[in-house]
Amino acid sequence: MSDVFIQATETDPAVRAAAEVRSVHRRLLDRLTALVEQEPGQHHTVLAGFLGGELRRHLAAADKALHAPASGAPETRLLVRALRTTAAEIEALVRAFPSAADPVRAARDLAAVLAVHFTVEETVLLPALAAMPGADVGLLAGDLRTLLDGGRLERPEEIDVREIPRGQRHPRIFARYARLAPGESFTLVNNHDPRHLRREFELAHPSAFTWDCVESGPELWRVRIGRPAG
């Protein structure tokens, strides 16, 4: 398959990924709207099941796949904080729903907050991620799909980029970094000094990553890349 595409068109992987995320958002909002319009007697049971199940799974998956990769960059750190604050408010509304005196109104209020949350992800977060050095929105959208399908994200202890096509190396490394919890790290293996990659990390995650050279050539480089514990 060719990696050639026209930027900002339907052939652009970032555009396709954004469309995929929007499709997931529309499906969730349409499902919520349809449940609200059901017979009144079904509201509490069916809506509570949807909100506590599918919707909460989506919020958790979006945080891991979309929010975490942008959480360390100075340009998007405050945006992620705002999105996580909104997600926490949605979670609070979900927890309060079973005891709501008016489940229809409670669900509509939740849907309104959710629609704003999704709009910010689509129109602000995704373009910001696409502009980040080394980021690959297509990979991140794939991570979201994997999590929503019940899968787990790969968390290899070592990434040997000698076995990865050149254009896919840095996005794969940044995606692995995004999956690190504070204090965790992984080892990068390369056949040359990854100084250009370090510059990209300094641009995208200043003061938010660790870089420890374990082996420095001349034929093999090993670098331990981590997320600070503090």
Side-chain angles (χ1 to χ4, degrees):
M1 179 183 295
S2 174
D3 290 327
V4 176
F5 61 88
I6 301 174
Q7 193 171 23
T9 70
E10 291 184 357
T11 63
D12 188 336
V15 172
R16 295 200 303 268
E20 181 177 356
V21 173
R22 283 195 299 271
S23 177
V24 172
H25 289 168
R26 296 288 81 74
R27 182 179 58 79
L28 283 168
L29 287 172
D30 288 347
R31 174 65 171 153
L32 179 55
T33 299
L35 289 173
V36 170
E37 294 174 354
Q38 284 185 350
E39 291 298 320
Q42 300 181 33
H43 285 137
H44 255 93
T45 302
V46 180
L47 269 170
F50 169 77
L51 297 175
E54 187 173 353
L55 179 57
R56 293 186 75 179
R57 284 194 298 273
H58 173 84
L59 293 174
D63 188 75
K64 289 183 180 179
L66 302 179
H67 300 175
S71 62
E75 299 88 345
T76 50
R77 189 176 295 125
L78 290 178
L79 171 61
V80 171
R81 188 180 301 173
L83 284 167
R84 285 174 166 169
T85 299
T86 309
E89 176 62 23
I90 294 169
E91 284 273 5
L93 292 172
V94 169
R95 290 193 299 271
F97 180 81
S99 59
D102 186 343
V104 174
R105 181 170 181 175
R108 286 175 177 164
D109 289 345
L110 194 155
V113 177
L114 189 63
V116 172
H117 182 74
F118 285 167
T119 298
V120 174
E121 285 186 336
E122 294 167 13
T123 63
V124 186
L125 179 64
L126 290 178
L129 282 169
M132 285 175 59
D136 186 325
V137 179
L139 281 176
L140 299 177
D143 286 350
L144 178 64
R145 182 171 58 252
T146 296
L147 292 169
L148 292 177
D149 288 343
R152 293 187 176 185
L153 302 182
E154 294 182 1
R155 296 169 58 88
E157 290 295 316
E158 181 176 283
I159 296 182
D160 189 339
V161 297
R162 296 173 300 175
E163 303 172 357
I164 300 174
R166 186 171 295 275
Q168 299 176 19
R169 293 177 180 179
H170 287 198
R172 189 77 58 84
I173 294 164
F174 274 88
R176 178 66 184 97
Y177 169 82
R179 296 168 188 166
L180 293 176
E184 290 184 340
S185 62
F186 67 95
T187 298
L188 165 68
V189 180
N190 206 347
N191 57 9
H192 64 269
D193 185 355
R195 58 183 182 276
H196 297 300
L197 175 68
R198 180 164 188 170
R199 291 196 194 105
E200 290 189 356
F201 263 93
E202 290 170 347
L203 287 171
H205 305 289
S207 303
F209 72 97
T210 59
W211 184 280
D212 299 307
C213 190
V214 179
E215 188 171 349
S216 56
E219 296 181 355
L220 189 69
W221 272 259
R222 292 179 182 273
V223 177
R224 195 76 180 167
I225 301 172
R227 190 183 291 272

mmCIF file of all heavy atoms in Angstrom, residues 100-141:
data_model
loop_
_atom_site.group_PDB
_atom_site.id
_atom_site.type_symbol
_atom_site.label_atom_id
_atom_site.label_comp_id
_atom_site.label_asym_id
_atom_site.label_seq_id
_atom_site.Cartn_x
_atom_site.Cartn_y
_atom_site.Cartn_z
ATOM 1 N N ALA A 100 -32.194 9.681 39.509
ATOM 2 C CA ALA A 100 -32.797 10.901 38.965
ATOM 3 C C ALA A 100 -34.320 10.845 39.053
ATOM 4 O O ALA A 100 -34.939 9.830 38.704
ATOM 5 C CB ALA A 100 -32.365 11.103 37.519
ATOM 6 N N ALA A 101 -34.925 11.931 39.526
ATOM 7 C CA ALA A 101 -36.392 11.999 39.607
ATOM 8 C C ALA A 101 -37.011 12.063 38.219
ATOM 9 O O ALA A 101 -38.105 11.536 37.989
ATOM 10 C CB ALA A 101 -36.802 13.222 40.428
ATOM 11 N N ASP A 102 -36.327 12.700 37.291
ATOM 12 C CA ASP A 102 -36.808 12.821 35.912
ATOM 13 C C ASP A 102 -35.718 12.283 34.990
ATOM 14 O O ASP A 102 -34.844 13.023 34.553
ATOM 15 C CB ASP A 102 -37.120 14.281 35.581
ATOM 16 C CG ASP A 102 -37.763 14.460 34.207
ATOM 17 O OD1 ASP A 102 -37.681 13.521 33.390
ATOM 18 O OD2 ASP A 102 -38.330 15.542 33.960
ATOM 19 N N PRO A 103 -35.740 10.982 34.687
ATOM 20 C CA PRO A 103 -34.664 10.381 33.894
ATOM 21 C C PRO A 103 -34.541 10.963 32.491
ATOM 22 O O PRO A 103 -33.441 11.044 31.954
ATOM 23 C CB PRO A 103 -35.033 8.896 33.855
ATOM 24 C CG PRO A 103 -36.473 8.840 34.182
ATOM 25 C CD PRO A 103 -36.742 9.979 35.103
ATOM 26 N N VAL A 104 -35.652 11.368 31.889
ATOM 27 C CA VAL A 104 -35.597 11.932 30.539
ATOM 28 C C VAL A 104 -34.819 13.245 30.555
ATOM 29 O O VAL A 104 -33.915 13.472 29.742
ATOM 30 C CB VAL A 104 -37.013 12.153 29.978
ATOM 31 C CG1 VAL A 104 -36.946 12.870 28.637
ATOM 32 C CG2 VAL A 104 -37.731 10.818 29.827
ATOM 33 N N ARG A 105 -35.159 14.105 31.491
ATOM 34 C CA ARG A 105 -34.443 15.379 31.582
ATOM 35 C C ARG A 105 -32.985 15.164 31.940
ATOM 36 O O ARG A 105 -32.098 15.841 31.385
ATOM 37 C CB ARG A 105 -35.108 16.280 32.617
ATOM 38 C CG ARG A 105 -34.427 17.634 32.756
ATOM 39 C CD ARG A 105 -35.230 18.579 33.598
ATOM 40 N NE ARG A 105 -34.566 19.879 33.690
ATOM 41 C CZ ARG A 105 -35.095 20.947 34.289
ATOM 42 N NH1 ARG A 105 -36.299 20.863 34.848
ATOM 43 N NH2 ARG A 105 -34.435 22.081 34.312
ATOM 44 N N ALA A 106 -32.720 14.242 32.854
ATOM 45 C CA ALA A 106 -31.334 13.964 33.245
ATOM 46 C C ALA A 106 -30.528 13.469 32.051
ATOM 47 O O ALA A 106 -29.367 13.874 31.860
ATOM 48 C CB ALA A 106 -31.308 12.938 34.368
ATOM 49 N N ALA A 107 -31.121 12.601 31.230
ATOM 50 C CA ALA A 107 -30.425 12.074 30.059
ATOM 51 C C ALA A 107 -30.191 13.164 29.028
ATOM 52 O O ALA A 107 -29.133 13.204 28.375
ATOM 53 C CB ALA A 107 -31.227 10.930 29.453
ATOM 54 N N ARG A 108 -31.167 14.047 28.863
ATOM 55 C CA ARG A 108 -30.990 15.144 27.898
ATOM 56 C C ARG A 108 -29.912 16.115 28.353
ATOM 57 O O ARG A 108 -29.127 16.618 27.528
ATOM 58 C CB ARG A 108 -32.323 15.861 27.696
ATOM 59 C CG ARG A 108 -33.308 15.037 26.848
ATOM 60 C CD ARG A 108 -34.663 15.698 26.770
ATOM 61 N NE ARG A 108 -35.545 14.925 25.889
ATOM 62 C CZ ARG A 108 -36.873 15.064 25.841
ATOM 63 N NH1 ARG A 108 -37.466 15.957 26.642
ATOM 64 N NH2 ARG A 108 -37.586 14.336 25.022
ATOM 65 N N ASP A 109 -29.853 16.394 29.651
ATOM 66 C CA ASP A 109 -28.798 17.257 30.170
ATOM 67 C C ASP A 109 -27.425 16.619 29.934
ATOM 68 O O ASP A 109 -26.461 17.290 29.538
ATOM 69 C CB ASP A 109 -29.004 17.503 31.662
ATOM 70 C CG ASP A 109 -30.198 18.406 31.950
ATOM 71 O OD1 ASP A 109 -30.692 19.062 31.006
ATOM 72 O OD2 ASP A 109 -30.635 18.435 33.124
ATOM 73 N N LEU A 110 -27.346 15.318 30.164
ATOM 74 C CA LEU A 110 -26.090 14.609 29.964
ATOM 75 C C LEU A 110 -25.708 14.631 28.484
ATOM 76 O O LEU A 110 -24.529 14.847 28.141
ATOM 77 C CB LEU A 110 -26.228 13.174 30.461
ATOM 78 C CG LEU A 110 -24.935 12.362 30.655
ATOM 79 C CD1 LEU A 110 -25.158 11.265 31.674
ATOM 80 C CD2 LEU A 110 -24.456 11.756 29.351
ATOM 81 N N ALA A 111 -26.676 14.426 27.611
ATOM 82 C CA ALA A 111 -26.406 14.428 26.172
ATOM 83 C C ALA A 111 -25.873 15.784 25.715
ATOM 84 O O ALA A 111 -24.996 15.858 24.835
ATOM 85 C CB ALA A 111 -27.669 14.072 25.400
ATOM 86 N N ALA A 112 -26.384 16.865 26.304
ATOM 87 C CA ALA A 112 -25.916 18.202 25.935
ATOM 88 C C ALA A 112 -24.450 18.399 26.310
ATOM 89 O O ALA A 112 -23.656 18.925 25.519
ATOM 90 C CB ALA A 112 -26.793 19.263 26.608
ATOM 91 N N VAL A 113 -24.085 17.962 27.514
ATOM 92 C CA VAL A 113 -22.684 18.072 27.942
ATOM 93 C C VAL A 113 -21.800 17.185 27.075
ATOM 94 O O VAL A 113 -20.703 17.573 26.657
ATOM 95 C CB VAL A 113 -22.537 17.696 29.428
ATOM 96 C CG1 VAL A 113 -21.076 17.743 29.858
ATOM 97 C CG2 VAL A 113 -23.378 18.613 30.302
ATOM 98 N N LEU A 114 -22.287 15.990 26.783
ATOM 99 C CA LEU A 114 -21.521 15.043 25.978
ATOM 100 C C LEU A 114 -21.273 15.588 24.572
ATOM 101 O O LEU A 114 -20.184 15.438 24.021
ATOM 102 C CB LEU A 114 -22.269 13.711 25.915
ATOM 103 C CG LEU A 114 -21.538 12.520 25.304
ATOM 104 C CD1 LEU A 114 -20.303 12.165 26.134
ATOM 105 C CD2 LEU A 114 -22.475 11.322 25.205
ATOM 106 N N ALA A 115 -22.290 16.230 23.980
ATOM 107 C CA ALA A 115 -22.143 16.776 22.638
ATOM 108 C C ALA A 115 -21.059 17.847 22.591
ATOM 109 O O ALA A 115 -20.258 17.904 21.645
ATOM 110 C CB ALA A 115 -23.478 17.354 22.161
ATOM 111 N N VAL A 116 -20.997 18.689 23.613
ATOM 112 C CA VAL A 116 -19.957 19.717 23.675
ATOM 113 C C VAL A 116 -18.575 19.060 23.833
ATOM 114 O O VAL A 116 -17.597 19.446 23.170
ATOM 115 C CB VAL A 116 -20.220 20.693 24.835
ATOM 116 C CG1 VAL A 116 -19.043 21.649 25.016
ATOM 117 C CG2 VAL A 116 -21.503 21.472 24.588
ATOM 118 N N HIS A 117 -18.496 18.066 24.698
ATOM 119 C CA HIS A 117 -17.244 17.340 24.927
ATOM 120 C C HIS A 117 -16.737 16.732 23.622
ATOM 121 O O HIS A 117 -15.544 16.873 23.275
ATOM 122 C CB HIS A 117 -17.498 16.242 25.964
ATOM 123 C CG HIS A 117 -16.293 15.452 26.341
ATOM 124 N ND1 HIS A 117 -15.292 15.951 27.150
ATOM 125 C CD2 HIS A 117 -15.931 14.172 26.024
ATOM 126 C CE1 HIS A 117 -14.355 15.014 27.321
ATOM 127 N NE2 HIS A 117 -14.717 13.939 26.648
ATOM 128 N N PHE A 118 -17.610 16.080 22.875
ATOM 129 C CA PHE A 118 -17.229 15.457 21.609
ATOM 130 C C PHE A 118 -16.801 16.512 20.589
ATOM 131 O O PHE A 118 -15.855 16.303 19.821
ATOM 132 C CB PHE A 118 -18.387 14.640 21.049
ATOM 133 C CG PHE A 118 -18.615 13.326 21.757
ATOM 134 C CD1 PHE A 118 -19.785 12.612 21.549
ATOM 135 C CD2 PHE A 118 -17.667 12.799 22.611
ATOM 136 C CE1 PHE A 118 -20.001 11.400 22.180
ATOM 137 C CE2 PHE A 118 -17.873 11.582 23.261
ATOM 138 C CZ PHE A 118 -19.044 10.888 23.036
ATOM 139 N N THR A 119 -17.504 17.641 20.552
ATOM 140 C CA THR A 119 -17.168 18.698 19.600
ATOM 141 C C THR A 119 -15.762 19.229 19.844
ATOM 142 O O THR A 119 -14.995 19.472 18.905
ATOM 143 C CB THR A 119 -18.186 19.846 19.683
ATOM 144 O OG1 THR A 119 -19.477 19.357 19.327
ATOM 145 C CG2 THR A 119 -17.811 20.981 18.738
ATOM 146 N N VAL A 120 -15.397 19.415 21.116
ATOM 147 C CA VAL A 120 -14.051 19.892 21.440
ATOM 148 C C VAL A 120 -13.011 18.854 21.024
ATOM 149 O O VAL A 120 -11.950 19.198 20.477
ATOM 150 C CB VAL A 120 -13.932 20.213 22.942
ATOM 151 C CG1 VAL A 120 -12.491 20.570 23.313
ATOM 152 C CG2 VAL A 120 -14.864 21.360 23.315
ATOM 153 N N GLU A 121 -13.283 17.574 21.250
ATOM 154 C CA GLU A 121 -12.351 16.537 20.813
ATOM 155 C C GLU A 121 -12.157 16.574 19.303
ATOM 156 O O GLU A 121 -11.024 16.468 18.806
ATOM 157 C CB GLU A 121 -12.858 15.156 21.229
ATOM 158 C CG GLU A 121 -12.699 14.844 22.708
ATOM 159 C CD GLU A 121 -13.084 13.425 23.052
ATOM 160 O OE1 GLU A 121 -13.872 12.809 22.300
ATOM 161 O OE2 GLU A 121 -12.594 12.921 24.082
ATOM 162 N N GLU A 122 -13.252 16.745 18.566
ATOM 163 C CA GLU A 122 -13.194 16.692 17.106
ATOM 164 C C GLU A 122 -12.555 17.934 16.498
ATOM 165 O O GLU A 122 -11.743 17.835 15.567
ATOM 166 C CB GLU A 122 -14.602 16.524 16.526
ATOM 167 C CG GLU A 122 -15.257 15.206 16.873
ATOM 168 C CD GLU A 122 -16.746 15.215 16.564
ATOM 169 O OE1 GLU A 122 -17.203 16.154 15.864
ATOM 170 O OE2 GLU A 122 -17.466 14.301 17.004
ATOM 171 N N THR A 123 -12.922 19.102 17.000
ATOM 172 C CA THR A 123 -12.515 20.352 16.348
ATOM 173 C C THR A 123 -11.261 20.989 16.929
ATOM 174 O O THR A 123 -10.664 21.863 16.291
ATOM 175 C CB THR A 123 -13.659 21.386 16.403
ATOM 176 O OG1 THR A 123 -13.945 21.710 17.781
ATOM 177 C CG2 THR A 123 -14.917 20.841 15.742
ATOM 178 N N VAL A 124 -10.866 20.587 18.134
ATOM 179 C CA VAL A 124 -9.688 21.183 18.766
ATOM 180 C C VAL A 124 -8.610 20.130 19.034
ATOM 181 O O VAL A 124 -7.460 20.280 18.622
ATOM 182 C CB VAL A 124 -10.054 21.907 20.077
ATOM 183 C CG1 VAL A 124 -8.828 22.630 20.629
ATOM 184 C CG2 VAL A 124 -11.187 22.897 19.855
ATOM 185 N N LEU A 125 -8.976 19.045 19.730
ATOM 186 C CA LEU A 125 -7.970 18.064 20.123
ATOM 187 C C LEU A 125 -7.370 17.328 18.930
ATOM 188 O O LEU A 125 -6.145 17.221 18.816
ATOM 189 C CB LEU A 125 -8.572 17.057 21.107
ATOM 190 C CG LEU A 125 -7.608 15.952 21.568
ATOM 191 C CD1 LEU A 125 -6.442 16.545 22.348
ATOM 192 C CD2 LEU A 125 -8.327 14.908 22.405
ATOM 193 N N LEU A 126 -8.207 16.789 18.053
ATOM 194 C CA LEU A 126 -7.684 16.006 16.932
ATOM 195 C C LEU A 126 -6.774 16.830 16.014
ATOM 196 O O LEU A 126 -5.691 16.361 15.636
ATOM 197 C CB LEU A 126 -8.825 15.366 16.145
ATOM 198 C CG LEU A 126 -9.567 14.238 16.870
ATOM 199 C CD1 LEU A 126 -10.714 13.724 16.013
ATOM 200 C CD2 LEU A 126 -8.614 13.094 17.214
ATOM 201 N N PRO A 127 -7.153 18.064 15.633
ATOM 202 C CA PRO A 127 -6.212 18.866 14.842
ATOM 203 C C PRO A 127 -4.914 19.150 15.585
ATOM 204 O O PRO A 127 -3.836 19.184 14.968
ATOM 205 C CB PRO A 127 -7.001 20.155 14.573
ATOM 206 C CG PRO A 127 -8.428 19.759 14.651
ATOM 207 C CD PRO A 127 -8.472 18.715 15.732
ATOM 208 N N ALA A 128 -4.998 19.366 16.900
ATOM 209 C CA ALA A 128 -3.779 19.609 17.680
ATOM 210 C C ALA A 128 -2.892 18.370 17.690
ATOM 211 O O ALA A 128 -1.662 18.468 17.568
ATOM 212 C CB ALA A 128 -4.144 20.021 19.101
ATOM 213 N N LEU A 129 -3.499 17.201 17.829
ATOM 214 C CA LEU A 129 -2.721 15.965 17.795
ATOM 215 C C LEU A 129 -2.066 15.776 16.434
ATOM 216 O O LEU A 129 -0.906 15.363 16.345
ATOM 217 C CB LEU A 129 -3.627 14.767 18.099
ATOM 218 C CG LEU A 129 -3.984 14.536 19.563
ATOM 219 C CD1 LEU A 129 -5.093 13.508 19.686
ATOM 220 C CD2 LEU A 129 -2.756 14.086 20.346
ATOM 221 N N ALA A 130 -2.796 16.083 15.364
ATOM 222 C CA ALA A 130 -2.257 15.915 14.016
ATOM 223 C C ALA A 130 -1.044 16.813 13.780
ATOM 224 O O ALA A 130 -0.166 16.480 12.986
ATOM 225 C CB ALA A 130 -3.337 16.215 12.979
ATOM 226 N N ALA A 131 -0.990 17.951 14.487
ATOM 227 C CA ALA A 131 0.110 18.898 14.307
ATOM 228 C C ALA A 131 1.295 18.610 15.215
ATOM 229 O O ALA A 131 2.355 19.217 15.042
ATOM 230 C CB ALA A 131 -0.390 20.326 14.560
ATOM 231 N N MET A 132 1.145 17.698 16.170
ATOM 232 C CA MET A 132 2.226 17.425 17.111
ATOM 233 C C MET A 132 3.352 16.649 16.434
ATOM 234 O O MET A 132 3.100 15.737 15.644
ATOM 235 C CB MET A 132 1.715 16.622 18.315
ATOM 236 C CG MET A 132 0.911 17.443 19.305
ATOM 237 S SD MET A 132 0.223 16.413 20.623
ATOM 238 C CE MET A 132 1.724 15.704 21.313
ATOM 239 N N PRO A 133 4.622 16.993 16.705
ATOM 240 C CA PRO A 133 5.745 16.261 16.118
ATOM 241 C C PRO A 133 5.689 14.780 16.476
ATOM 242 O O PRO A 133 5.540 14.425 17.641
ATOM 243 C CB PRO A 133 6.973 16.932 16.768
ATOM 244 C CG PRO A 133 6.495 18.280 17.188
ATOM 245 C CD PRO A 133 5.058 18.093 17.579
ATOM 246 N N GLY A 134 5.788 13.935 15.457
ATOM 247 C CA GLY A 134 5.833 12.498 15.691
ATOM 248 C C GLY A 134 4.499 11.828 15.925
ATOM 249 O O GLY A 134 4.417 10.607 15.961
ATOM 250 N N ALA A 135 3.443 12.606 16.104
ATOM 251 C CA ALA A 135 2.135 12.002 16.389
ATOM 252 C C ALA A 135 1.519 11.446 15.113
ATOM 253 O O ALA A 135 1.787 11.923 14.018
ATOM 254 C CB ALA A 135 1.209 13.035 17.013
ATOM 255 N N ASP A 136 0.702 10.438 15.253
ATOM 256 C CA ASP A 136 0.007 9.813 14.129
ATOM 257 C C ASP A 136 -1.442 9.606 14.553
ATOM 258 O O ASP A 136 -1.756 8.686 15.306
ATOM 259 C CB ASP A 136 0.672 8.487 13.773
ATOM 260 C CG ASP A 136 0.087 7.848 12.515
ATOM 261 O OD1 ASP A 136 -1.134 7.983 12.292
ATOM 262 O OD2 ASP A 136 0.847 7.214 11.764
ATOM 263 N N VAL A 137 -2.337 10.473 14.072
ATOM 264 C CA VAL A 137 -3.737 10.404 14.475
ATOM 265 C C VAL A 137 -4.364 9.089 14.034
ATOM 266 O O VAL A 137 -5.255 8.561 14.698
ATOM 267 C CB VAL A 137 -4.528 11.610 13.921
ATOM 268 C CG1 VAL A 137 -5.995 11.532 14.315
ATOM 269 C CG2 VAL A 137 -3.934 12.914 14.447
ATOM 270 N N GLY A 138 -3.883 8.543 12.916
ATOM 271 C CA GLY A 138 -4.400 7.253 12.468
ATOM 272 C C GLY A 138 -4.128 6.148 13.475
ATOM 273 O O GLY A 138 -5.005 5.335 13.777
ATOM 274 N N LEU A 139 -2.904 6.122 14.021
ATOM 275 C CA LEU A 139 -2.574 5.131 15.043
ATOM 276 C C LEU A 139 -3.410 5.347 16.296
ATOM 277 O O LEU A 139 -3.877 4.384 16.924
ATOM 278 C CB LEU A 139 -1.092 5.220 15.402
ATOM 279 C CG LEU A 139 -0.090 4.573 14.442
ATOM 280 C CD1 LEU A 139 1.331 4.853 14.911
ATOM 281 C CD2 LEU A 139 -0.331 3.077 14.340
ATOM 282 N N LEU A 140 -3.618 6.608 16.689
ATOM 283 C CA LEU A 140 -4.389 6.898 17.893
ATOM 284 C C LEU A 140 -5.845 6.501 17.718
ATOM 285 O O LEU A 140 -6.469 5.964 18.639
ATOM 286 C CB LEU A 140 -4.269 8.382 18.239
ATOM 287 C CG LEU A 140 -2.841 8.878 18.523
ATOM 288 C CD1 LEU A 140 -2.842 10.373 18.787
ATOM 289 C CD2 LEU A 140 -2.232 8.124 19.691
ATOM 290 N N ALA A 141 -6.399 6.766 16.538
ATOM 291 C CA ALA A 141 -7.773 6.328 16.266
ATOM 292 C C ALA A 141 -7.860 4.807 16.277
ATOM 293 O O ALA A 141 -8.855 4.229 16.731
ATOM 294 C CB ALA A 141 -8.252 6.884 14.922
#
